[in-house]
Amino acid sequence: MNGVIRIECPVCLADGVSSLGQTVVGDRLRWYRSTACPACGAMEEDGEGFPPAEYRQVLMESAGLWKLVVDVSFKVGTLRVLKDVLGLSMMEAAAIRFPDVFIGTKAEVDWLASLLMNERVEARGEPSWATLAVPALASALVNRQQTRQRRDEPRHRAQVPLALARRLDATGHVQILQIP
């Protein structure tokens, strides 16, 4: 799933274009942003889990919303998996309504369905006709998972030309992790 946005380059302030996407790799949800700047060249940013809120919004606007559908007979297994994966409290898990247990991007729904099917829970994704005002619970779940991601590991990395990386490093706003 991809979305494209016009941006102002954070380095040189030139007009550029960013391509956003999400995919499932194994049992992990991955996101990326590829930016093309005419002055600086290409920059890559990626991460694991839910993308930052502004990227996620673009993905939902460009590809629409999807819902995760699970039969109520699989309630215990579903709640256990979602509680573990999304870091839900017991009260948040209890607030999940069946059969439509989650609304998000297609990649997010495919990822959760895959995790549920690994636990022998029958789950499927379907296009949702909901508006982009995503239900409060789904939004709260994503916010909680994003907070946990920021706390647990670096969210993204960028590959930039060495001269630009040294200039950025001198400002103290970035850290060079590896020089080829």
Side-chain angles (χ1 to χ4, degrees):
M1 158 189 337
N2 290 323
V4 177
I5 56 173
R6 296 215 168 272
I7 60 140
E8 183 177 85
C9 178
V11 177
C12 70
L13 305 179
D15 289 334
V17 176
S18 278
S19 174
L20 306 170
Q22 273 184 310
T23 189
V24 178
V25 179
D27 64 348
R28 298 179 186 269
L29 178 66
R30 305 283 305 172
W31 61 268
Y32 63 87
R33 181 178 104 171
S34 299
T35 302
C37 171
C40 298
M43 292 178 266
E44 294 290 328
E45 179 181 17
D46 60 20
E48 189 173 305
F50 291 98
E54 63 272 16
Y55 298 174
R56 188 169 185 263
Q57 185 69 25
V58 170
L59 292 168
M60 289 189 293
E61 288 171 359
S62 65
L65 294 175
W66 285 71
K67 62 184 175 182
L68 177 63
V69 180
V70 181
D71 188 270
V72 73
S73 63
F74 294 100
K75 185 174 187 172
V76 173
T78 301
L79 294 180
R80 185 181 69 246
V81 169
L82 294 179
K83 185 177 177 304
D84 290 345
V85 170
L86 300 174
L88 304 178
S89 69
M90 289 300 286
M91 289 181 61
E92 289 168 326
I96 293 176
R97 301 286 176 236
F98 286 80
D100 303 342
V101 299
F102 181 83
I103 294 178
T105 66
K106 182 175 185 332
E108 293 164 358
V109 169
D110 289 347
W111 170 61
L112 291 171
S114 169
L115 295 175
L116 288 167
M117 288 187 283
N118 288 344
E119 297 295 320
R120 294 186 166 81
V121 172
E122 291 180 26
R124 68 183 184 283
E126 295 179 355
S128 174
W129 306 116
T131 65
L132 281 179
V134 179
L137 178 61
S139 182
L141 300 179
V142 171
N143 290 341
R144 172 171 282 200
Q145 205 268 353
Q146 287 173 336
T147 300
R148 201 170 78 205
Q149 282 173 211
R150 283 191 295 273
R151 182 185 67 227
D152 292 344
E153 64 182 66
R155 188 177 69 202
H156 47 137
R157 58 186 174 269
Q159 296 176 343
V160 297
L162 184 58
L164 176 61
R166 287 191 174 130
R167 196 169 24 154
L168 289 171
D169 187 45
T171 67
H173 295 296
V174 298
Q175 176 184 10
I176 296 178
L177 300 176
Q178 180 180 7
I179 297 177

